[in-house]
Amino acid sequence: MEFERLLASRHHFMKASEIRELLKLLDQPEVISFAGGIPDPEFFPREAFQRASAEVLTQAEPLQYSISEGDLGLRQQLKAHMADLGVPCGVENILITSGSQQALDYIGKLFLSPGDTALVESPTYLGALAAFNAYEPRYDRLQVQGNQSPEVSTAAAQAAGSCVKFAYVVPDFSNPTGETLGCGAREALLDRATTLDCAVIEDAAYQALRYEGEAIPSILSLELKRTGDINRCRTLYCGSFSKTLAPGLRVGWIVAAKPLIDQMVLIKQASDLHSPTLNQMLVSHVLSEGFPAHLEYLRKSYRERRDVMLNALTSYMPDGVHWSQPEGGMFVWLTLPPHIDGAALLKRALEQEKIAFVPGQAFHADGSGANTARLSFSCGKPDSIREGVQRLARVLTAV
Ligand code: PMP
């Protein structure tokens, strides 16, 4: 049977990554991997979850269907959490999603018709591009750094008669660069979005993992100061418990104007009815049991690993290699000399020194960034991070 003929046009936009094949080699025990951007399973609060499941499963409720908006108790906790972040809102402004990845898919589904424009940074989160790609958008580059005003190349969009629907950013300790947008850049981004009359997608997956420096107000909180009414805000905030509690539970949330949440509730109903009731109740239970102390422990542990990686890069990397200085999150972004291709370097690094990372090109919607790489420090023990950086530096010195 000729399957190709039967598939929707969107399948052309869903590409498997070539580096996946190489990354299969990661299972070998002697490989030191900086590739996976995942939390260290050692830090999962397993005992708290064991206590929570014993308690929660005394009732039938967690095993039953529930409402699409999400568990009310959990949304009330999130309402309090958002108020602490300077976003007073109602539970009706919150939708629980199956991880923030689902939020990105729903946002694509809600906003993007084929040919619409999504503004993304270059580089940006690969999973966001994968989620949006299914809705066949075109991308324009959103250049927004540190505290500068964003540069947006919308001329091409206008020439093509395309409508700019949203600007997507990971403002805190971004995946992949580890960089953070300053307050000025966030305000300037809101100004640009207002001029363009488009939405802003604030992907806050790493926001809670700050290791140094002052917290920067979320984009949604800054906009709320301008409008005074969440239901008139153009920013959609996507949160997640994947990095702070457990990604396997797939619990995330969106905060936005009620008309947008109402639309996304309809999408949720058609998609999976609701996120698993049991998982939402487990998260709610664990949140009420010393979550701030758990966050402190995570920050301390990841901070140590970040410091080890940054110090090792300073000690061992040859001239011509530059890297970001993340104040939180899980990633350091390497910029290699222009003649070095990240994918070719990965092949060599795996073969010669059994060291892995993610080449940076795939994070660029426009195919640029061949001489970049993402290193994650989240899963390595300090000694292995130091050893891994030393090995990578050896490969780079020999190129
Ligand atoms: N956004 C960013 C920036 C991420 O790095 C990730 C996970 N790697 C996600 C969203 C999705 O996370 P989850 O679906 O587990 O919440």
Side-chain angles (χ1 to χ4, degrees):
M1 186 175 171
E2 262 291 344
F3 289 119
E4 181 75 20
R5 188 181 62 79
L6 300 178
L7 304 182
S9 58
R10 73 179 70 92
H11 90 277
H12 292 296
F13 295 81
M14 303 178 186
K15 287 188 218 108
S17 140
E18 305 137 27
I19 55 169
R20 253 173 218 286
E21 288 306 308
L22 278 176
L23 295 178
K24 279 185 191 153
L25 299 170
L26 297 190
D27 291 339
Q28 297 171 20
E30 64 280 31
V31 170
I32 295 181
S33 175
F34 296 142
I38 58 176
D40 190 329
E42 212 179 272
F43 302 153
F44 295 155
R46 280 167 47 217
E47 286 174 8
F49 276 116
Q50 273 167 6
R51 284 191 296 277
S53 31
E55 172 121 1
V56 164
L57 283 168
T58 54
Q59 316 149 46
E61 192 190 337
L63 304 178
Q64 185 56 286
Y65 284 119
S66 55
I67 57 171
S68 301
E69 288 82 349
D71 181 74
L72 183 59
L74 179 58
R75 280 186 295 142
Q76 277 160 345
Q77 287 164 306
L78 285 168
K79 177 178 154 176
H81 171 69
M82 294 308 298
D84 288 345
L85 292 180
V87 182
C89 65
V91 286
E92 67 282 4
N93 295 109
I94 303 174
L95 169 68
I96 305 294
T97 54
S98 295
S100 50
Q101 190 63 35
Q102 187 176 59
L104 298 175
D105 177 42
Y106 287 4
I107 285 165
K109 204 175 220 172
L110 184 61
F111 286 98
L112 297 171
S113 298
D116 281 345
T117 297
L119 301 176
V120 293
E121 292 175 276
S122 196
T124 191
Y125 170 50
L126 196 51
L129 295 177
F132 303 151
N133 279 349
Y135 303 100
E136 306 178 51
R138 50 185 303 292
Y139 294 105
D140 265 347
R141 189 172 175 156
L142 176 69
Q143 229 173 328
V144 47
Q145 278 174 342
N147 258 321
Q148 297 158 15
S149 288
E151 278 174 40
V152 185
S153 59
T154 48
Q158 276 147 9
S162 169
C163 183
V164 179
K165 291 299 183 70
F166 59 72
Y168 166 78
V169 284
V170 186
D172 304 281
F173 332 119
S174 153
N175 179 3
T177 65
E179 278 164 4
T180 295
L181 295 185
C183 208
R186 292 175 194 219
E187 293 281 11
L189 177 60
L190 282 170
D191 292 343
R192 287 310 300 254
T194 308
T195 314
L196 293 166
D197 198 17
C198 70
V200 174
I201 313 304
E202 175 172 29
D203 182 340
Y206 299 91
Q207 190 176 49
L209 296 179
R210 172 174 283 281
Y211 315 135
E212 69 175 78
E214 285 286 303
I216 298 172
S218 74
I219 299 174
L220 180 54
S221 74
L222 293 172
E223 192 185 6
L224 200 46
K225 280 208 180 110
R226 297 180 178 198
T227 65
D229 177 1
I230 184 135
N231 294 322
R232 290 201 293 124
C233 285
R234 59 179 70 245
T235 304
L236 292 86
Y237 175 103
C238 306
S240 173
F241 289 112
S242 288
K243 319 297 172 187
T244 51
L245 285 177
L249 293 176
R250 313 303 304 129
V251 180
W253 70 98
I254 310 180
V255 182
K258 184 163 182 305
L260 292 175
I261 293 291
D262 289 348
Q263 285 292 316
M264 277 188 286
V265 168
L266 298 178
I267 293 179
K268 180 104 186 133
Q269 275 165 6
S271 152
D272 63 354
L273 295 180
H274 59 79
S275 294
T277 321
L278 174 61
N279 297 3
Q280 296 183 60
M281 291 179 77
L282 289 177
V283 166
S284 172
H285 201 283
V286 170
L287 283 180
S288 61
E289 229 199 57
F291 185 56
H294 175 66
L295 275 184
E296 266 321 300
Y297 162 70
L298 282 185
R299 291 184 186 123
K300 186 173 152 289
S301 312
Y302 285 132
R303 181 197 171 120
E304 185 193 358
R305 294 175 182 194
R306 178 206 62 163
D307 290 347
V308 169
M309 180 169 272
L310 290 179
N311 289 336
L313 286 164
T314 307
S315 303
Y316 303 122
M317 275 296 150
D319 286 348
V321 178
H322 303 280
W323 53 93
S324 60
Q325 300 284 334
E327 292 188 334
M330 298 184 168
F331 307 107
V332 175
W333 183 246
L334 286 192
T335 305
L336 309 166
H339 65 281
I340 297 183
D341 177 82
L345 182 73
L346 171 63
K347 197 162 184 293
R348 195 170 300 172
L350 269 168
E351 281 165 9
Q352 293 177 2
E353 293 280 357
K354 302 224 176 297
I355 174 87
F357 56 87
V358 182
Q361 192 165 26
F363 298 98
H364 297 74
D366 61 3
S368 62
N371 65 323
T372 56
R374 188 192 75 179
L375 306 184
S376 165
F377 52 81
S378 57
C379 276
K381 299 268 181 298
D383 282 349
S384 106
I385 293 176
R386 206 172 293 111
E387 164 76 21
V389 171
Q390 203 170 1
R391 288 194 207 172
L392 182 58
R394 269 204 299 268
V395 184
L396 270 164
T397 309
V399 192

